[in-house]
Amino acid sequence: MILVGLTGGIGSGKSTVAAMLAAHGAAVIDADAITRELQRPGTPVLAAMVDRFGAAIVRADGTLDRQAVADVVFSDPAALADLNAIVHPAVGAEIARRLEVEAAADEPGRVVVLDVPLLVESGRSDMAALIVVDVDPEVAVRRLVDQRGMSEADARTRMARQVGREDRLARADVVVDNSGDLDTLRRRVEEVWDWIRDRDGDRATDPA
């Protein structure tokens, strides 16, 4: 198993890159998707969040109102810390479980992509390579506003809560520039995929 990390700032297009790698045959362990699963109605994580933040974070159908949570935690560092204390251990445990399943499959050359927004902040160092999807922060803000319907203030607040762009790039083994069009991005991901497949699990430098 070749374990590869994938990260990038909010609005960078990391999920698009993950989907392209999956299309090449990678198994993607998506921390955001796991978080959503663990926050479904009836889960211990959602119950703990309601205990901490109140019933106002739950919609009439019982699902989590993510914007309501964001409105609380991204303007209150203590509330954000409480949210992380509820969610992160559960997500980390599920990621570890899925990695164990992948490792037990014992498929030589199988590429497993660990797609985690806060991968640099986690300090994880057991990966063959770390891929960082990069885009100018102003481009990311425009995408968040235009494509996700966020307010500009909300987008900038969320970005400010993440590790800085320079710190991500300093940790990167591979940088995927996503400032161009989809065809350019697809070609770059193909280059990175070929490079990963040639690594045999050894950490190396950017193929660009």
Side-chain angles (χ1 to χ4, degrees):
M1 180 180 82
I2 304 173
L3 180 61
V4 177
L6 175 67
T7 196
I10 185 171
S12 66
K14 176 177 60 64
S15 296
T16 301
V17 172
M20 290 179 178
L21 291 170
H24 281 288
V28 178
I29 298 176
D30 183 343
D32 283 341
I34 290 172
T35 300
R36 290 191 292 272
E37 291 175 18
L38 294 175
Q39 292 174 337
R40 289 178 299 191
T43 60
V45 169
L46 181 57
M49 291 175 63
V50 172
D51 285 344
R52 169 59 179 85
F53 300 108
I57 66 168
V58 178
R59 297 189 182 96
D61 63 0
T63 60
L64 180 66
D65 185 337
R66 300 184 186 283
Q67 187 58 53
V69 176
D71 290 344
V72 173
V73 303
F74 287 111
S75 60
D76 184 342
L80 180 60
D82 288 345
L83 175 65
N84 290 342
I86 294 168
V87 175
H88 286 183
V91 173
E94 179 60 18
I95 287 174
R97 186 192 70 79
R98 296 190 188 193
L99 285 173
E100 287 178 2
V101 170
E102 294 292 343
D106 195 24
E107 296 182 30
R110 179 168 175 77
V111 177
V112 178
V113 174
L114 189 57
D115 177 359
V116 180
L118 303 180
L119 195 54
V120 169
E121 292 91 323
S122 75
R124 189 170 192 131
S125 61
D126 60 341
M127 302 167 294
L130 176 62
I131 302 169
V132 171
V133 184
D134 183 58
V135 71
D136 183 276
E138 294 305 314
V139 174
V141 169
R142 288 199 301 273
R143 289 176 178 171
L144 293 169
V145 172
D146 295 341
Q147 299 173 16
R148 298 199 199 177
M150 291 185 187
S151 69
E152 181 176 338
D154 187 17
R156 292 187 185 280
T157 298
R158 295 190 191 210
M159 290 173 67
R161 293 292 182 186
Q162 296 184 325
V163 70
R165 182 186 188 189
E166 294 77 11
D167 291 332
R168 274 194 303 271
L169 293 174
R171 287 284 309 278
D173 297 295
V174 181
V175 176
V176 174
D177 181 358
N178 189 21
S179 58
D181 58 24
L182 272 177
D183 287 339
T184 301
L185 179 63
R186 191 174 291 109
R187 288 192 295 271
R188 175 57 173 156
V189 172
E190 287 173 357
E191 293 174 354
V192 172
W193 175 255
D194 290 340
W195 174 79
I196 292 169
R197 296 288 293 171
D198 289 341
R199 296 287 57 79
D200 292 328
D202 294 329
R203 200 172 181 99
T205 55
D206 195 327

